[in-house]
Amino acid sequence: MFKHTAVFAAAAVLALGAPGKPSSTAGSWQVDTRHSDARLITDATTDYGKTKLDFTLGFARVRGRMSLDDADPTKSSVDLNMYPATSMIPVIDEDGKFLSYWLSNLSNHTLVCFHSKAIVRMPDGRLQAKGNLVLTRVDRNIEVGSGEAYAGPVYGPPMIHRVVHEATFVFDAPTADGSAQKEGGTRTSGSTSMFREDFPQLVRAVVSTYWPPLVQDKNCEPPAAGEGYHGSQCTGTFMEAPALPEAPHAANAEDIPGPSDFNAVVGNHLKILVHLRLMAKASGEPAAGGN
């Protein structure tokens, strides 16, 4: 992911932090993309289908905004963009517009957006946001050549797919966050789940998309001048999905003969779990959907 030498602070990405104190949430908030993420979870099997488990496909960047009215939650709104961590902003917009150089090295791009239409407060204090989940995907067929002059795959013209389906996110009541609170911010988490038959295009797209490791709060320092050049030193929170269990191997390190499908990603359901650091909208970051 990085061309420079990198040293990253380790993160237990699956652990839950200690609960924070309730925070005043009224007002307009901007999602802090550098400190937010979306975890994408589906079902899989291991041990040749004998064991079922939930499998984290990867982590996506999140960009967007939330407008919260504590006195009247129906006046609140949520708009989120979720996309692979190949860039800090989406490389395509919700309508499928893109710049040609963004597609020069990749065969597809995926953008998942959520736009609330109605928000209510649940008895336990959480917010239930009903709205539209929008999948925008740009695909390109790969034309594989042959012969001595073959120089790698050639991508065909882009094909834009956009599908909209109703969905519901449930958000925890925002809580105070140490570093964010000092800057006037807060944190919240939310999730939505669906079965493949509910939104087959989205589940297929998320399962087939490559989700590269995500680095939160990346900060790289140029090396000091001198003979021992080793590249830039980078810090940040490195988030990468754990691999499925390793297939058994023979004692002599040779593969055991037999079926090769020890693990399988099934993709019968999908869960999107977002962790958001919210900062005052006056921070100046562009709103969701703008590129």
Side-chain angles (χ1 to χ4, degrees), residues 25 39-40 45 48 76 93 127 143 159 179 184 213 217 279 282:
T25 62
R39 181 181 168 197
L40 307 166
T45 63
Y48 305 110
S76 302
D93 68 16
L127 294 176
E143 302 170 0
M159 298 174 291
S179 59
D217 197 22
M279 306 302 294

Side-chain angles (χ1 to χ4, degrees), residues 43 48 52 114 137 178 193-195 199 208 210 220 268 278:
D43 53 314
Y48 305 110
K52 298 180 179 180
F114 175 73
R137 183 173 171 89
S193 301
M194 69 206 69
F195 291 99
F199 199 166
S208 62
Y210 168 59
C220 295
N268 279 328
L278 303 175

Side-chain angles (χ1 to χ4, degrees), residues 104-161:
S104 60
N105 297 315
L106 295 175
S107 61
N108 59 68
H109 285 291
T110 300
L111 173 67
V112 179
C113 302
F114 175 73
H115 305 295
S116 67
K117 297 167 67 176
I119 296 180
V120 297
R121 189 179 301 280
M122 301 170 66
D124 59 5
R126 294 184 297 169
L127 294 176
Q128 183 185 74
K130 295 184 178 181
N132 287 334
L133 200 58
V134 184
L135 165 69
T136 304
R137 183 173 171 89
V138 179
D139 288 298
R140 300 170 71 195
N141 290 328
I142 299 178
E143 302 170 0
V144 181
S146 59
E148 297 181 358
Y150 176 71
V154 177
Y155 295 123
M159 298 174 291
I160 300 172
H161 310 278

Side-chain angles (χ1 to χ4, degrees), residues 29-107:
W29 302 92
Q30 198 77 38
V31 174
D32 182 355
T33 304
R34 288 171 56 86
H35 300 87
S36 303
D37 66 88
R39 181 181 168 197
L40 307 166
I41 305 168
T42 190
D43 53 314
T45 63
T46 188
D47 195 13
Y48 305 110
K50 298 177 183 178
T51 303
K52 298 180 179 180
L53 69 159
D54 285 338
F55 172 63
T56 299
L57 291 163
F59 294 89
R61 290 200 190 281
V62 184
R63 188 168 179 256
R65 59 177 177 252
M66 298 182 73
S67 179
L68 302 176
D69 189 320
D70 289 342
D72 186 359
T74 62
K75 296 180 180 179
S76 302
S77 63
V78 179
D79 293 280
L80 300 176
N81 289 351
M82 294 160 278
Y83 52 96
T86 47
S87 64
M88 289 302 297
I89 63 174
V91 297
I92 57 175
D93 68 16
E94 196 169 331
D95 295 323
K97 297 179 181 178
F98 58 90
L99 295 179
S100 58
Y101 70 84
W102 282 335
L103 295 179
S104 60
N105 297 315
L106 295 175
S107 61

Side-chain angles (χ1 to χ4, degrees), residues 20 28 55 67 120 146 159 211 219 221 224 237 244 247 253 262 277:
S28 297
F55 172 63
S67 179
V120 297
S146 59
M159 298 174 291
W211 302 97
N219 182 37
E221 296 290 340
T237 302
L244 286 165
F262 183 79
R277 186 189 190 197

Side-chain angles (χ1 to χ4, degrees), residues 160-208:
I160 300 172
H161 310 278
R162 185 178 186 273
V163 188
V164 182
H165 196 281
E166 291 185 351
T168 299
F169 266 88
V170 176
F171 292 93
D172 295 332
T175 56
D177 170 79
S179 59
Q181 189 179 26
K182 293 179 182 178
E183 302 173 18
T186 186
R187 279 191 178 274
T188 187
S189 297
S191 66
T192 186
S193 301
M194 69 206 69
F195 291 99
R196 181 167 53 186
E197 54 265 29
D198 297 330
F199 199 166
Q201 301 92 335
L202 176 64
V203 177
R204 285 198 302 265
V206 170
V207 170
S208 62

